[in-house]
Amino acid sequence: MSDNSNTNSAGTAPLNSVSYSLYPARRRGKHKIFIGMAPGVGKTYRMLEEGHALKHEGIDVVVGLLETHGRKETAQKAEGLEIIARKQYPRGELTLTDMDTDAILKRCLATSRFASTPQLILIDELAHTNVPDSPREKRYEDVEVVLAAGIDVYSTMNVQHLESLNDLVARITGVVVRERVPDRILNEADEVVLVDVTPETLQERLLEGKIYAPQKIQQSLDNFFQRRNLIALRELALREVADNVEENAIATTPNGQFCNIHERVLVCVSTYPNSVQLLRRAARLANYMNAPLYTLFVADPERFLTKEESLHIHTCEKLCNEFEGTFLRVTNSNIANAIAQVAEKYRITQIVIGESQRTSFGGALLTRWQMLLKGSLTQKLVRLLKNIDLHIIASEKMVSPK
């Protein structure tokens, strides 16, 4: 984010373009997010704990914004770490405070001129809405500025603050969450850590006064902190982090091979009439596995489809969309290689193809003689595919009208 991309309501320059523009970042900072199912699971404590460990290793660790909410254990954990003073915003007889992003940039960039030590800023409550008239509306926008300056950031948030889950969380808890973070912030993070406790443990912490003041305990237990709510929120948090891991990292086996964490189903359709049947079978398989569905059509570059064949492929694409799948169309004279390439690109774990005496794919018909000379599509795929299950679906016999 450039330093002139945002202005406040008065049209003034954003967040003091003074210092950080003078020292352009060598790289974008890395972002690590600690996420939990609800307040009190220990996200801030865990962030501070890791901050201390990194400081012990020689990293320049600074607390940009800390929200203790009166929790003694959290405040004690912050001891020994440098904390940037909050910026004050006078409002009549009141004075509001918020994170001082200018001060964070000045502190870190001034230090970075004299040392190559990596720098880390700890910023609590990513979903926070800033004080009115701040240079930016949301705290996550300030975090993006800090990252753009080449400074690493650790931050915290709860799963109910994720934008795409807003409606679902409202249905589960009856609470409409006003402070939200775009999904892209979580998706673009370099690392996402789930800080998890059981619903029973969280309720115990609440009763012991470790989360809210005594006068708010019973109200919280009767509303947001009901056990059924916590169970559902925990499942959302677990699923969200698992999906994030699947998108950003692939597990490796001891011998260095890649393996997928989640199932992904690919069905190969053609101009052959059984393609619609295959697609439905694949959709049922994907639904059973709670997996995304991909539909692939490989077009022969040396052959044009007839009007009837084009309509048939369009029907397959429309059906794929109805199943909320992704339709892929590639051009390749080598069908098996095309399937293998798509399977690798989309990290496919299950492939569904049709079986018949004459295998039709992409408009190309393989006769028995061709299969003997070149090998069938199934045989080629078995040789090409590693760690992918291949489902060969028998075609239904077509009954000729009498």
Side-chain angles (χ1 to χ4, degrees):
M1 180 183 295
S2 64
D3 56 22
N4 62 357
S5 60
N6 290 295
T7 57
N8 60 23
S9 58
T12 56
L15 200 80
N16 190 352
S17 44
V18 185
S19 39
Y20 67 89
S21 61
L22 299 178
Y23 311 104
R26 292 187 295 272
R27 65 165 178 85
R28 179 178 171 83
K30 294 183 180 298
H31 190 192
K32 182 173 183 176
I33 299 176
F34 296 85
I35 191 170
M37 64 176 172
V41 296
K43 303 177 301 296
T44 303
Y45 191 92
R46 173 74 177 274
M47 179 178 71
L48 293 169
E49 196 171 49
E50 292 200 15
H52 275 290
L54 291 171
K55 181 181 178 182
H56 184 71
E57 294 176 9
I59 306 297
D60 183 17
V61 180
V62 179
V63 178
L65 194 288
L66 177 65
E67 297 282 8
T68 66
H69 297 288
R71 298 164 193 162
K72 294 180 180 179
E73 294 86 351
T74 303
Q76 291 171 352
K77 199 63 183 177
E79 293 177 0
L81 293 175
E82 178 184 349
I83 300 178
I84 300 292
R86 296 184 180 219
K87 186 173 183 178
Q88 297 187 349
Y89 294 84
R91 291 290 184 274
E93 297 180 358
L94 296 176
T95 299
L96 304 178
T97 64
D98 214 330
M99 186 171 77
D100 193 338
T101 309
D102 271 347
I104 291 172
L105 293 169
K106 288 179 181 178
R107 157 62 173 83
C108 292
L109 294 172
T111 305
S112 66
R113 285 184 291 164
F114 305 105
S116 58
T117 305
Q119 294 173 307
L120 172 65
I121 295 293
L122 310 183
I123 298 176
D124 221 356
E125 298 195 359
L126 193 59
H128 172 79
T129 299
N130 292 335
V131 171
D133 296 331
S134 295
R136 273 159 291 280
E137 181 183 357
K138 305 289 291 188
R139 186 166 292 162
Y140 71 79
E141 295 176 312
D142 287 314
V143 166
E144 291 185 299
V145 171
V146 176
L147 291 169
I151 304 164
D152 294 342
V153 175
Y154 281 8
S155 64
T156 65
M157 66 174 287
N158 290 318
V159 72
Q160 69 262 26
H161 294 290
L162 200 60
E163 181 69 50
S164 64
L165 297 179
N166 190 250
D167 293 338
L168 180 56
V169 169
R171 289 199 299 270
I172 292 171
T173 65
V175 176
V176 177
V177 178
R178 302 298 180 188
E179 296 188 323
R180 301 191 291 273
V181 174
D183 288 46
R184 67 172 179 82
I185 298 296
L186 196 68
N187 296 334
E188 293 170 1
D190 297 274
E191 188 175 355
V192 178
V193 176
L194 175 66
V195 181
D196 183 48
V197 297
T198 65
E200 292 77 15
T201 298
L202 193 59
Q203 286 181 328
E204 288 176 9
R205 289 183 182 179
L206 182 63
L207 289 168
E208 292 169 357
K210 294 181 177 180
I211 300 177
Y212 295 135
Q215 61 270 23
K216 292 184 63 177
I217 292 176
Q218 191 56 52
Q219 180 186 0
S220 299
L221 283 172
D222 293 339
N223 294 282
F224 193 84
F225 278 76
Q226 291 182 56
R227 186 173 180 275
R228 64 176 181 82
N229 289 349
L230 297 179
I231 290 173
L233 291 170
R234 188 188 191 198
E235 182 179 345
L236 285 178
L238 289 166
R239 185 182 302 170
E240 194 62 39
V241 173
D243 289 343
N244 184 272
V245 169
E246 171 68 5
E247 289 297 324
N248 294 287
I250 306 173
T252 56
T253 60
N255 61 6
Q257 290 185 326
F258 292 112
C259 61
N260 294 290
I261 298 171
H262 287 181
E263 300 288 355
R264 292 168 180 262
V265 177
L266 172 69
V267 56
C268 303
V269 300
S270 70
T271 57
Y272 209 58
N274 71 335
S275 290
V276 172
Q277 172 197 351
L278 289 177
L279 215 163
R280 291 195 179 107
R281 290 285 295 273
R284 287 198 295 271
L285 178 65
N287 184 58
Y288 174 76
M289 293 181 167
N290 193 27
L293 173 68
Y294 297 85
T295 303
L296 172 65
F297 171 67
V298 182
D300 187 338
E302 298 180 357
R303 183 180 182 278
F304 290 102
L305 298 181
T306 65
K307 183 177 181 181
E308 183 180 10
E309 289 171 338
S310 295
L311 183 61
H312 175 72
I313 298 304
H314 177 72
T315 299
C316 291
E317 182 175 1
K318 184 178 179 181
L319 186 59
C320 175
N321 292 334
E322 289 177 4
F323 288 129
E324 298 183 345
T326 301
F327 190 87
L328 307 169
R329 184 192 296 257
V330 300
T331 301
N332 196 321
S333 57
N334 191 316
I335 298 167
N337 283 350
I339 295 173
Q341 289 167 7
V342 168
E344 180 180 6
K345 179 179 179 180
Y346 291 92
R347 304 197 295 277
I348 300 299
T349 63
Q350 311 282 334
I351 294 181
V352 177
I353 64 171
E355 178 271 331
S356 67
Q357 291 185 343
R358 294 196 306 168
T359 303
S360 168
F361 200 89
L365 295 178
L366 293 179
T367 65
R368 286 173 178 268
W369 179 246
Q370 288 174 311
M371 281 193 254
L372 287 172
L373 290 177
K374 300 179 181 179
S376 69
L377 176 62
T378 302
Q379 291 168 339
K380 291 178 180 179
L381 289 176
V382 169
R383 289 195 297 268
L384 288 171
L385 302 174
K386 304 297 181 185
N387 302 314
I388 297 178
D389 294 336
L390 189 61
H391 302 260
I392 305 169
I393 308 300
S395 300
E396 293 180 355
K397 301 298 182 181
M398 301 297 291
V399 180
S400 301
K402 295 181 180 180

